[in-house]
Amino acid sequence: MASGITLEKIQKRYGALPVIHGVDLKIEPGEFTVFVGPSGCGKSTLLRMIAGLEEISGGELRIDGERVNETAPSKRGIAMVFQSYALYPHMSVYKNLSFGLETAGMKKPEVDARVKKAADILQIGPLLQRKPKALSGGQRQRVAIGRAIVREPRIFLFDEPLSNLDAELRVQMRVELSKLHQQLGSTMIYVTHDQVEAMTMADKIVVLRDGRIMQAGRPLDLYNDPANQFVAGFIGSPKMNFLSAKLDETDASHRTIEIAGQRIELQKPLAAREGEPLTFGLRPEHIQPQDNALSLGSASVQLVEHLGGSTVVYASTQDGQPATVLLEGQRPIRIGETIPLSFHPSKSHVFGQDGRRVC
Amino acid sequence: MALHSEILSKESRPAALRSRGAFGGVLERNAAGYVFLLPWLLGFFGLTLGPALASLYLSFTNYDLLQSPDWVGAANYVRILTDDPKFSAAMQVTFTYVILSVPLKLAFALAVAMAFNRGIKGLTLYRAIFYLPSLLGSSVAIAVLWRQLFASDGLINMALWQLFGFEGPSWISNPDYALYTLVMLSIWQFGSPMIIFLAGLRQIPTDMYEAAQMDGAGKARQFFKITLPLLTPVIFFNGVIQTIEAFKAFTPAFIISEGTGGPINSTLFYTLYLYQEAFGFFRMGYASALAWILVIIISLFTAFSFLGARYWVHYDD
């Protein structure tokens, strides 16, 4: 059974220092939610508060409508997978899996059945008698997940569980975790600083910065419709290009802006003040090396990455601003070459001085 | 490295060095190192290995410091093991002391270390204060202090009288209690194992406890299922070191019993008996044999400890 979680004005202070500033969030039952953000943004703290490992300084945490601020971690129906795996090194894999069940006083046949079921799901049956030191990183990761599964929790919490794995294994485990979510249907909250993990796994992404939610929503909503410059820059790889721009003072309709020496008319008016410095955002894949009505002018190529399936061009606009272009397929572009840059107006974003989106 | 050595030996080595042979060359090349090692080498050969081998020889002789040693074969050992009631008494006292003092000291040290590990303010100061008895513990001054504390008119009995109206016995004059005052003195010197326990506790990752907390384990279960097993390498180390120290204990018994091991041999530690034989009765050969039996006992204990460790000591790697 999956559970819904509600965070209302959740705060965390260490002494006088506030680190989480009144977070409001609703996580639906069965949803795979990813907390993402740079180091120190408070994502792990928030997760640990939900787990009960950190005291909540203010606000209310509810699971299935019931306040759980003061409820012990083991009574919240939550299981957690730690970044370091936190496997007990002196216990066999079986003992690691059964520890929580034995602690709860469960009868041995049921413990056996649950351990076997989890081992089957994660394909770690042959490892049950081994000690953690005899396991590879990926196997340890599976055991750590198994330890969460056996408890049949309503909610799974993952604290950067893939960060200790190599790139290949990380991709593999990412897929397996997504399958596991589909299989179990439980509510899962996953913390990562890797936006690719967030985009590929999440039903809902919560982008955090300095203890505040910058935006929460479906991955593609955040990608296509970022609420602010921080989210726009954080989500997407290669990251969004940000070019300095300004409102054309002669344009009364507030649609025309100047970027890289080019005057460009947007489809919607800007919610910006006269003379306010603006930032024009364009994703690398939304820039084309063609002459077009909406041209950014020409740019000189500084570096080219030929990835086989795609080509990444790092260029410099006429006024010296860096622009990254992601092109499909293999392109015969060379360093030092000058290429035209154009874009589709519906794919552009404009941000005000304070980072909010103005168009 | 091997390649480098080969190049040195075949090409860059001066001709004079080559002519003196490999040993001379090595000696000359490492001369500075040996000069730095010299104090230790002198100490080891002159003060440790030399006397040890001498005592091994003397243990097969009768020697009174005045006349030349008189070879008696294994007679000293035979007499110690078959016809020396004081040896049996000393063994009994020493083993009782070891069996009581080591576990109690370790338990106390662990309890204090766990209290310190909770992150209290002024930890460094407290740690230093609690370590102090271990620095002073084997000294004559502390043994004298202990003697004053546990005397019939000492502070302990005064406190017992003031607090409970109980007239305590003369702890150090009563054969039923004398050894236990020495056990208490040993426990009081818990600083050294406490510091090592504290370091061991700091090594246990906090997320182990958090995982256990998520699993619903209370403090007691966390202690027995997480802390103790993960601390076994440190417990083992402390256990071996403290047991060896306990077997070798001398000063407290010497001071408190004024060198007699009394009352009625109740504090006759093995080393005290050895001292009496050597410097009381000048039976150096016999005392040397006693010393070598202690060496064998400690070696056997250590060997069995290491053999047994594989069944209960958990190493992470």
Side-chain angles (χ1 to χ4, degrees):
Chain A
M1 190 185 72
S3 290
I5 305 169
T6 310
L7 286 75
E8 269 183 16
K9 309 250 177 303
I10 290 288
Q11 294 173 31
K12 178 68 188 174
R13 285 184 297 272
Y14 292 108
L17 179 74
V19 290
I20 301 287
H21 308 267
V23 163
D24 290 303
L25 182 68
K26 191 167 167 49
I27 296 168
E28 300 298 335
E31 203 169 43
F32 195 122
T33 303
V34 175
F35 292 171
V36 69
S39 297
C41 70
K43 54 191 186 296
S44 285
T45 305
L46 201 55
L47 189 83
R48 289 167 59 80
M49 287 160 84
I50 294 170
L53 297 172
E54 291 281 352
E55 204 175 299
I56 296 170
S57 309
E60 199 162 81
L61 172 68
R62 289 201 296 271
I63 296 177
D64 288 337
E66 190 185 330
R67 179 186 159 98
V68 293
N69 288 38
E70 294 80 22
T71 308
S74 60
K75 307 284 183 203
R76 296 187 182 194
I78 283 175
M80 184 160 167
V81 177
F82 292 83
Q83 184 174 7
S84 65
Y85 315 140
L87 299 179
Y88 309 126
H90 55 292
M91 295 184 195
S92 65
V93 169
Y94 181 94
K95 279 285 173 194
N96 265 282
L97 296 184
S98 64
F99 181 78
L101 305 179
E102 286 168 0
T103 303
M106 192 177 280
K107 296 270 189 305
K108 189 154 180 16
E110 197 178 345
V111 171
D112 276 341
R114 288 234 196 152
V115 170
K116 189 177 178 312
K117 188 176 162 192
D120 287 344
I121 292 171
L122 295 163
Q123 299 169 336
I124 53 172
L127 310 177
L128 285 177
Q129 298 313 316
R130 288 199 202 166
K131 292 269 179 70
K133 67 182 173 189
L135 304 177
S136 67
Q139 288 168 333
R140 287 181 196 194
Q141 180 58 257
R142 283 166 195 272
V143 176
I145 295 168
R147 191 165 65 180
I149 289 177
V150 287
R151 293 183 52 214
E152 297 182 358
R154 295 181 292 173
I155 298 159
F156 284 88
L157 306 180
F158 297 93
D159 189 4
E160 305 207 34
L162 307 185
S163 57
N164 292 335
L165 303 179
D166 61 47
E168 193 182 341
L169 203 52
R170 203 180 302 169
V171 173
Q172 188 187 330
M173 286 303 295
R174 216 161 67 193
V175 174
E176 291 194 24
L177 275 175
S178 295
K179 279 187 193 165
L180 189 70
H181 176 239
Q182 286 170 8
Q183 198 175 342
L184 300 175
S186 308
T187 308
M188 292 185 175
I189 305 178
Y190 186 102
V191 162
T192 182
H193 59 266
D194 182 344
Q195 60 89 27
V196 177
E197 273 179 27
M199 289 297 285
T200 51
M201 297 168 82
D203 296 322
K204 178 192 277 176
I205 293 179
V206 179
V207 182
L208 289 145
R209 182 194 194 187
D210 297 336
R212 291 185 175 86
I213 293 181
M214 292 283 102
Q215 192 174 1
R218 287 181 299 174
L220 289 181
D221 288 346
L222 265 62
Y223 183 85
N224 294 324
D225 202 11
N228 49 57
Q229 191 176 339
F230 178 78
V231 174
F234 199 83
I235 300 292
S237 179
K239 68 179 286 187
M240 184 183 276
N241 293 295
F242 293 121
L243 302 168
S244 296
K246 65 176 185 181
L247 202 57
D248 188 339
E249 288 169 10
T250 62
D251 176 32
S253 67
H254 278 210
R255 284 170 183 263
T256 310
I257 57 172
E258 277 186 40
I259 317 161
Q262 306 292 315
R263 293 179 74 231
I264 292 167
E265 190 176 341
L266 301 170
Q267 291 178 334
K268 289 183 288 182
L270 288 164
R273 296 186 307 274
E274 293 281 352
E276 181 183 348
L278 301 171
T279 302
F280 188 73
L282 266 179
R283 295 212 177 271
E285 58 272 35
H286 296 149
I287 302 179
Q288 292 299 318
Q290 298 162 354
D291 273 322
N292 189 300
L294 290 178
S295 169
L296 289 171
S298 60
S300 85
V301 175
Q302 310 286 317
L303 185 72
V304 184
E305 289 176 351
H306 298 285
L307 303 178
S310 60
T311 305
V312 186
V313 179
Y314 298 93
S316 178
T317 59
Q318 279 173 333
D319 60 348
Q321 297 193 67
T324 307
V325 183
L326 177 65
L327 303 168
E328 270 185 33
Q330 300 172 7
R331 304 294 182 100
I333 297 173
R334 291 191 187 85
I335 294 172
E337 198 175 323
T338 300
I339 55 170
L341 299 181
S342 66
F343 66 97
H344 193 280
S346 67
K347 303 291 187 186
S348 65
H349 310 273
V350 185
F351 304 98
Q353 193 175 13
D354 57 1
R356 77 192 191 288
R357 188 153 159 219
V358 294
C359 177
Chain B
M1 194 69 196
L3 182 64
H4 179 67
S5 307
E6 200 176 344
I7 291 167
L8 267 180
S9 64
K10 286 188 177 167
E11 290 169 18
S12 348
R13 210 166 56 166
L17 258 179
R18 277 201 301 273
S19 65
R20 255 183 263 159
F23 182 71
V26 167
L27 210 60
E28 190 154 330
R29 245 193 341 263
N30 299 328
Y34 288 117
V35 168
F36 281 111
L37 267 177
L38 202 59
W40 183 85
L41 289 172
L42 285 175
F44 177 69
F45 287 108
L47 301 174
T48 305
L49 189 62
L53 292 174
S55 82
L56 181 62
Y57 165 71
L58 290 175
S59 73
F60 294 100
T61 67
N62 275 341
Y63 178 49
D64 62 1
L65 286 175
L66 300 173
Q67 292 169 329
S68 303
D70 180 19
W71 183 265
V72 294
N76 286 334
Y77 290 96
V78 172
R79 201 187 123 205
I80 288 168
L81 296 172
T82 60
D83 188 24
D84 185 353
K86 249 186 147 180
F87 167 75
S88 309
M91 287 290 280
Q92 194 181 340
V93 168
T94 305
F95 269 88
T96 308
Y97 177 74
V98 170
I99 288 165
L100 286 178
S101 70
V102 174
L104 288 173
K105 184 199 273 194
L106 293 188
F108 193 63
L110 179 57
V112 176
M114 288 192 67
F116 281 169
N117 197 38
R118 295 164 71 92
I120 55 170
K121 279 187 180 172
L123 171 65
T124 315
L125 177 68
Y126 285 122
R127 207 166 47 195
I129 292 171
F130 277 77
Y131 189 67
L132 219 53
S134 290
L135 292 177
L136 306 170
S138 298
S139 73
V140 172
I142 292 298
V144 169
L145 170 72
W146 215 249
R147 189 180 163 80
Q148 298 296 324
L149 282 174
F150 283 92
S152 54
D153 57 350
L155 203 64
I156 300 292
N157 277 349
M158 277 172 64
L160 286 174
W161 177 254
Q162 292 292 334
L163 293 173
F164 308 108
F166 173 71
E167 196 172 342
S170 174
W171 304 96
I172 53 173
S173 308
N174 188 326
D176 290 339
Y177 305 123
L179 181 60
Y180 303 109
T181 61
L182 295 181
V183 170
M184 286 178 70
L185 173 57
S186 166
I187 296 167
W188 189 58
Q189 298 158 15
F190 64 90
S192 169
M194 181 268 288
I195 294 285
I196 297 169
F197 275 136
L198 193 55
L201 287 170
R202 293 278 170 91
Q203 292 296 312
I204 301 175
T206 49
D207 52 13
M208 294 281 169
Y209 294 108
E210 289 179 345
Q213 215 179 325
M214 298 297 295
D215 279 338
K219 291 287 176 201
R221 192 163 164 83
Q222 286 180 29
F223 176 73
F224 286 109
K225 293 289 181 182
I226 310 293
T227 308
L228 271 189
L230 294 183
L231 215 53
T232 48
V234 180
I235 295 171
F236 175 62
F237 174 80
N238 269 338
V240 170
I241 296 295
Q242 292 304 320
T243 305
I244 293 171
E245 288 298 315
F247 271 121
K248 287 162 50 190
F250 171 76
T251 314
F254 181 80
I255 299 297
I256 283 177
S257 72
E258 293 176 333
T260 64
I264 323 173
N265 289 341
S266 61
T267 59
L268 185 66
F269 282 8
Y270 193 94
T271 48
L272 184 55
Y273 176 46
L274 191 156
Y275 174 84
Q276 287 176 352
E277 285 293 320
F279 301 103
F281 306 114
F282 296 105
R283 292 196 280 257
M284 287 293 168
Y286 197 75
S288 295
L290 282 170
W292 275 95
I293 287 174
L294 183 61
V295 168
I296 292 165
I297 290 170
I298 291 176
S299 303
L300 283 175
F301 159 77
T302 309
F304 281 121
S305 298
F306 273 90
L307 284 175
R310 71 180 68 169
Y311 299 107
W312 68 276
V313 179
H314 304 287
Y315 291 104
D316 199 7
D317 293 310

